[in-house]
């Protein structure tokens, strides 16, 4: 680690966003930047297996690519002139942050820059982290969960995005939080997906309610809720809707499941989580548009972040689709899931 560790933690503020005119000179003390010293902030999570280790691992490819591009944009340039800012803009757009967000980030720098201002690339990165954290904190945040009471989470997403694995990860997370969990295998279209869930269920010690392939998804949810009530389960995870052939079909399937939940589990908290595959970039964005046009999506789980340099997509989902990003999938194991925390995400991406 660098001496970042010994720096005091400072919070991003509106002032830091640039209104106060921030210097980027090397000699300057610099702006009130976000100086996350992760291992200090999360002492309980220092290990590779902890939050910070997993987040950094998940964002490694994206981080490397962005930083290479930022460094290349700055190479041989002593000042932050307009041409350099444009290079920087391109570098950020290329990392799938979304055009709008990339322009906003660079505009933040442009506002503060003085003619012929000397710049230090590390300070510039700190400043970008700060700007990005502010933009992400301004994006929709997840709805607050009441502290107690049973809940049911509908997990939607097209086949292959990592939905089954994500259901298993969420089940694991609930278990670790001390909840009793049950999985409903209501994506009945693929026999392999049902078997996969059963396998995860056995590994994790979680009951999986299923039917024969091709069965009625709403009937699976009905059975699962009956079982959940009898077994005093806290969290039912419903693996559902893996096809996007026709929106009508999707809508019918989900609204039938919705009616079953209303009848069988009135008063339970209900949310719909959309799983997207981070490796598919714009394709994932258009899937998100389609799903959210059919069903109110409460949040997104961005899977396979570890396998792509397109991790900036999380920012595009939050800022351009205005959907809260709740979770990041960072590997194939049940524990490879981290919650999306805007400041830490910005620091891991650009810091
Ligand atoms: P589904 O068809 O949407 O249910 O997708 P699966 O859950 O079967 O996942 C498809 C493939 O992606 C499998 O090989 C998973 O192990 C893999 N996968 C899922 N999530 C992640 C992730 O976060 N990171 C990585 N590297 N692989 C993942």
């Amino acid at each position: 680690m660098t001496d970042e560790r010994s720096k005091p933690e400072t919070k991003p503020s509106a002032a830091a966003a640039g209104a106060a005119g921030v210097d980027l000179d090397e000699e300057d003390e610099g702006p009130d930047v976000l100086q996350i010293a992760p291992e200090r902030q999360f002492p309980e999570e220092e290990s590779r297996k902890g939050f910070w280790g997993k987040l950094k691992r998940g964002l490694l490819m994206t981080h490397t690519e962005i930083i290479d591009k930022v460094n290349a944009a700055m190479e041989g340039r002593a000042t932050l002139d307009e041409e350099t800012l444009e290079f920087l803009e391109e570098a950020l757009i290329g990392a799938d942050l979304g055009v709008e967000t990339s322009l906003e980030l660079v505009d933040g720098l442009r506002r503060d820059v003085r003619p012929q201002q000397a710049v230090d690339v590390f300070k510039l990165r700190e400043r970008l982290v700060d700007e990005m954290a502010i933009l992400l904190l301004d994006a929709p945040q997840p709805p607050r969960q009441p502290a107690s009471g049973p809940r049911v989470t509908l997990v939607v997403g097209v086949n292959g995005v990592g939905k089954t694995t994500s259901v298993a990860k969420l089940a694991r997370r609930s278990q670790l939080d001390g909840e009793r969990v049950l999985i409903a295998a209501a994506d009945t279209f693929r026999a392999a997906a049902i078997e996969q869930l059963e396998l995860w269920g056995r590994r994790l010690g979680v009951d999986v309610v299923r039917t024969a392939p091709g069965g009625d998804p709403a009937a699976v949810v009905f059975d699962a809720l009956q079982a959940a009530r009898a077994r005093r389960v806290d969290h039912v995870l419903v693996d559902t809707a893996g096809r996007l052939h026709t929106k009508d079909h999707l809508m019918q399937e989900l609204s039938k499941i919705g009616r079953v939940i209303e009848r069988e589990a009135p008063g339970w908290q209900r949310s719909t989580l959309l799983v997207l595959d981070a490796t598919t970039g714009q394709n994932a964005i258009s899937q998100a548009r389609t799903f959210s046009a059919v069903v109110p999506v409460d949040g997104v789980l961005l899977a396979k972040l570890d396998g792509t340099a397109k991790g900036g997509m999380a920012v595009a989902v939050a800022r351009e689709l205005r959907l809260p990003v709740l979770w990041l999938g960072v590997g194939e194991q049940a524990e490879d899931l981290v919650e999306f925390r805007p400041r830490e995400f910005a620091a891991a991406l650009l810091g």
Side-chain angles (χ1 to χ4, degrees):
M1 277 307 294
T2 66
D3 56 4
E4 276 248 312
R5 277 163 175 267
S6 56
K7 289 181 187 170
E9 180 204 341
T10 56
K11 290 197 170 73
S13 63
V22 172
D23 287 337
L24 292 166
D25 300 79
E26 211 162 346
E27 305 73 34
D28 257 321
E29 262 313 295
D32 177 22
V33 291
L34 180 79
Q35 291 167 345
I36 292 225
E39 288 78 1
R40 282 178 77 92
Q41 280 200 338
F42 313 109
E44 80 285 12
E45 296 170 328
E46 275 183 30
S47 75
R48 228 179 93 75
K49 287 185 173 170
F51 168 82
W52 190 252
K54 285 193 227 173
L55 179 64
K56 281 207 297 201
R57 188 155 41 86
L59 280 172
L60 185 65
M61 287 170 72
T62 312
H63 172 85
T64 308
E65 182 144 325
I66 295 191
I67 297 309
D68 282 354
K69 284 185 180 163
V70 169
N71 287 344
M74 298 300 300
E75 200 178 340
R77 290 165 197 275
T79 59
L80 201 58
D81 54 19
E82 186 52 33
E83 198 189 356
T84 317
L85 288 169
E86 279 170 23
F87 271 124
L88 204 54
E89 223 161 63
E90 279 170 34
L92 296 173
I93 291 171
D96 283 79
L97 291 175
V99 175
E100 198 185 295
T101 306
S102 305
L103 297 186
E104 271 185 70
L105 281 173
V106 174
D107 272 347
L109 300 179
R110 193 177 274 121
R111 268 200 307 273
D112 303 324
V113 80
R114 296 192 307 264
Q116 298 309 307
Q117 184 173 357
V119 69
D120 161 11
V121 74
F122 290 102
K123 284 224 162 117
L124 178 88
R125 274 166 56 182
E126 283 183 337
R127 182 58 209 279
L128 283 172
V129 168
D130 198 21
E131 283 282 342
M132 179 176 280
I134 291 165
L135 290 184
L136 285 174
L137 285 164
D138 182 45
Q141 300 299 312
R144 283 206 176 281
Q145 298 269 8
S148 61
R151 61 200 169 107
V152 52
T153 305
L154 296 185
V155 184
V156 299
V158 302
N159 296 331
V161 293
K163 189 158 56 83
T164 312
T165 313
S166 299
V167 167
K169 290 175 181 177
L170 292 164
R172 180 75 189 132
R173 176 58 66 112
S174 280
Q175 276 184 321
L176 292 172
D177 289 344
E179 292 183 318
R180 259 191 294 257
V181 198
L182 186 127
I183 293 174
D187 183 357
T188 60
F189 191 67
R190 289 181 310 156
I194 300 174
E195 281 162 23
Q196 195 66 30
L197 269 182
E198 284 197 308
L199 197 65
W200 276 115
R202 278 201 294 281
R203 265 190 227 157
L204 299 175
V206 171
D207 289 339
V208 176
V209 175
R210 58 163 290 178
T211 184
D216 179 4
V220 178
V221 175
F222 177 87
D223 288 347
L225 292 173
Q226 296 268 321
R229 288 213 313 258
R231 296 173 210 171
R232 307 184 73 78
V233 160
D234 304 295
H235 189 189
V236 175
L237 281 154
V238 183
D239 180 23
T240 182
R243 283 155 298 144
L244 260 184
H245 285 327
T246 65
K247 288 187 199 172
D248 282 352
H249 181 272
L250 181 68
M251 205 180 296
Q252 274 167 21
E253 185 172 315
L254 292 174
S255 55
K256 194 168 166 196
I257 289 175
R259 286 196 299 276
V260 169
I261 295 173
E262 261 157 44
R263 216 172 44 230
E264 297 305 313
W268 284 40
Q269 299 162 52
R270 194 205 313 180
S271 58
T272 302
L273 185 69
L274 172 65
V275 181
L276 297 175
D277 179 344
T279 64
T280 62
Q282 286 308 308
N283 203 0
I285 299 279
S286 69
Q287 278 169 23
R289 285 211 172 88
T290 309
F291 269 100
S292 45
V294 169
V295 56
V297 170
D298 299 294
V300 166
L301 185 156
L302 196 59
K304 309 190 199 176
L305 199 65
D306 55 309
T308 181
K310 296 178 195 286
M313 246 194 70
V315 183
V317 170
R319 300 268 312 155
E320 293 180 19
L321 296 176
R322 310 292 298 163
L323 288 175
V325 179
L326 306 185
W327 299 102
L328 306 170
V330 295
E332 296 185 273
Q333 304 306 315
E335 274 87 12
D336 292 334
L337 184 73
V338 289
E339 60 267 43
F340 182 78
R341 300 181 190 165
R343 291 178 194 166
E344 289 76 3
F345 183 88
L349 194 72
L350 292 167

